Amino acid sequence: MRIDQNPLFRKVIVPWYDSEAACYIVIFFMVLVFLFGFAGISASRENIEYHENVWVAVLLVVMSGGVIISTTIRLIKRYSRRFSK
């Protein structure tokens, strides 16, 4: 007897790294990195010796902001699909 390959009750299996809890943890840590980057920008503005290294802090802010935005969009799409049915 063959098992039905396309049952109606099949749920989508979400990988652990794309679960809601993992997304919230990623957003939390990226907010910490975002704040650390802003602290680096302010520290480099205060000291003349660090002016040439401000790009590292700006890169941290831009990259962590991108991860926060993309993860938030992913969560919004997931919630909109869940509640639109």
Side-chain angles (χ1 to χ4, degrees):
M1 184 170 169
R2 292 186 63 186
I3 297 175
D4 188 14
Q5 295 296 326
N6 246 346
L8 295 175
F9 55 85
R10 179 183 290 178
K11 288 177 64 175
V12 176
I13 299 173
V14 179
W16 66 269
Y17 54 84
D18 196 26
S19 66
E20 289 182 21
C23 288
Y24 289 131
I25 291 170
V26 166
I27 289 174
F28 173 73
F29 281 113
M30 287 299 109
V31 166
L32 292 178
V33 172
F34 194 78
L35 295 174
F36 183 72
F38 271 120
I41 290 171
S42 67
S44 68
R45 285 184 179 217
E46 290 176 2
N47 294 332
I48 295 174
E49 298 123 8
Y50 299 139
H51 277 270
E52 60 192 31
N53 297 329
V54 73
W55 66 270
V56 177
V58 170
L59 188 65
L60 279 175
V61 168
V62 169
M63 291 177 69
S64 63
V67 171
I68 290 170
I69 291 170
S70 68
T71 307
T72 305
I73 289 171
R74 178 180 296 162
L75 285 173
I76 290 171
K77 284 182 182 178
R78 187 175 298 159
Y79 282 129
S80 68
R81 268 188 266 137
R82 183 182 304 162
F83 293 119
S84 68
K85 291 181 179 180

